């Protein structure tokens, strides 16, 4: 996909900031939309003229537009990693790779993860050395995954296998916390499977 350089004068930048109340997520998402959309070709002024009706609640619409432009493999990745609660637990490259075993690590990093990062749909926190999904993006990923019940079950099973394969390290003093995380993940996985089978967990 072709990307364009963003062009804007100070007044247009100020208007973008005012329109979205300086909301960083909104500004990042719309910047990516303006940059990647052939209609706007990186021109902030054209975006403001064409989209003067946009308000902060329209972040969801912008995310929908971006996801619609993703390749099949990018959508697959976004859907599968939505099974992870990235706001609560760290998500490593190994965790993402575990959900896409059919993709080589090089292809995953260069052709899937990098484009998702570039479009502001996936974030990497250098301090925590982990990836994160914005809750709204994760919700959209869940929707994609739920379109195929088999993919849904497989993704949850792979996530479960990934987490239980991580060795515990009692010497770091966090064994109890890690076990609690495992128990939470396992319980959520079991509940999900039961719901999928039409049986409510007690």
């Amino acid at each position: 996909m072709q990307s364009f350089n963003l062009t804007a004068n100070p007044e247009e930048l100020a208007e973008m900031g005012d329109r979205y109340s300086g909301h960083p997520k909104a500004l990042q998402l719309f910047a990516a939309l303006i940059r990647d959309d052939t209609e706007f070709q990186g021109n902030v002024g054209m975006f403001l003229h064409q989209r003067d009706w946009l308000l902060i609640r329209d972040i969801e619409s912008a995310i929908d537009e971006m996801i619609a432009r993703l390749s099949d493999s990018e959508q697959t990745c976004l859907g599968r990693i939505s099974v992870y609660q990235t706001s609560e637990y760290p998500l490593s490259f190994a965790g993402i790779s575990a959900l896409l075993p059919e993709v080589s690590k090089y292809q995953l990093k260069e052709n899937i993860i990098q484009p998702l990062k570039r479009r502001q749909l996936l974030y990497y926190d250098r301090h925590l050395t982990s990836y994160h999904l914005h809750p709204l993006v994760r919700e959209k990923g869940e929707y994609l995954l739920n379109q195929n019940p088999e993919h849904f079950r497989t993704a949850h099973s792979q996530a479960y296998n990934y987490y239980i394969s991580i060795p515990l390290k009692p010497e770091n003093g966090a064994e109890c916390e890690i076990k609690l995380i495992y128990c939470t993940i396992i319980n959520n996985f079991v509940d999900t499977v039961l719901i999928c089978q039409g049986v409510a967990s007690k």
Side-chain angles (χ1 to χ4, degrees), residues 19-20 30 33 37 39-40 45-55 61-62 65 69:
R19 181 174 296 182
Y20 301 108
F30 286 120
L33 176 62
D37 196 309
E39 178 182 357
F40 306 119
M46 185 179 296
F47 171 84
L48 292 171
H49 177 72
Q50 296 289 334
R51 301 294 185 93
D52 57 357
W53 47 269
L54 277 173
L55 300 173
S61 297
E65 289 185 44
R69 293 187 177 93

Side-chain angles (χ1 to χ4, degrees), residues 81-82 84-86 89-97 99 122-124 128-133 162-163:
I81 64 176
S82 70
Y84 292 125
Q85 297 281 349
T86 61
Y89 312 117
L91 173 59
S92 65
F93 177 78
I96 299 176
S97 182
L99 295 186
L122 180 66
Y123 293 87
Y124 183 76
L128 299 176
T129 62
S130 63
Y131 294 90
H132 298 274
L133 287 174
Y162 165 69
Y163 273 112

Side-chain angles (χ1 to χ4, degrees), residues 22-34:
H23 193 292
K25 173 55 63 174
L27 295 174
Q28 290 168 351
L29 288 171
F30 286 120
L33 176 62
I34 296 167

Side-chain angles (χ1 to χ4, degrees), residues 86-130:
T86 61
S87 61
E88 299 177 36
Y89 312 117
L91 173 59
S92 65
F93 177 78
I96 299 176
S97 182
L99 295 186
L100 290 102
E102 72 277 15
V103 180
S104 72
K105 288 180 171 56
Y106 176 81
Q107 293 293 329
L108 177 60
K109 182 169 291 186
E110 295 298 321
N111 298 335
I112 298 178
I113 291 179
Q114 289 298 337
L116 290 176
K117 288 171 59 183
R118 187 170 61 249
R119 292 178 176 84
Q120 308 295 332
L121 295 173
L122 180 66
Y123 293 87
Y124 183 76
D125 189 316
R126 293 184 182 277
H127 298 292
L128 299 176
T129 62
S130 63

Side-chain angles (χ1 to χ4, degrees), residues 99 151-163 189 193:
L99 295 186
H151 290 174
F152 178 89
R153 288 190 291 270
T154 299
H156 279 275
S157 177
Q158 289 171 327
Y160 168 78
N161 290 330
Y162 165 69
Y163 273 112
F189 173 73
V193 171

Side-chain angles (χ1 to χ4, degrees), residues 89-90 166-183:
Y89 312 117
I166 300 175
L168 293 176
K169 297 181 179 179
E171 66 274 10
N172 64 12
E175 181 177 11
C176 292
E177 181 180 354
I178 294 174
K179 285 185 176 179
L180 177 60
I181 291 175
Y182 284 171
C183 289

Side-chain angles (χ1 to χ4, degrees), residues 5-25:
N5 294 324
L6 289 179
T7 59
N9 59 46
E11 290 77 17
E12 290 166 345
L13 293 176
E15 183 177 347
M16 281 287 288
D18 290 342
R19 181 174 296 182
Y20 301 108
S21 304
H23 193 292
K25 173 55 63 174

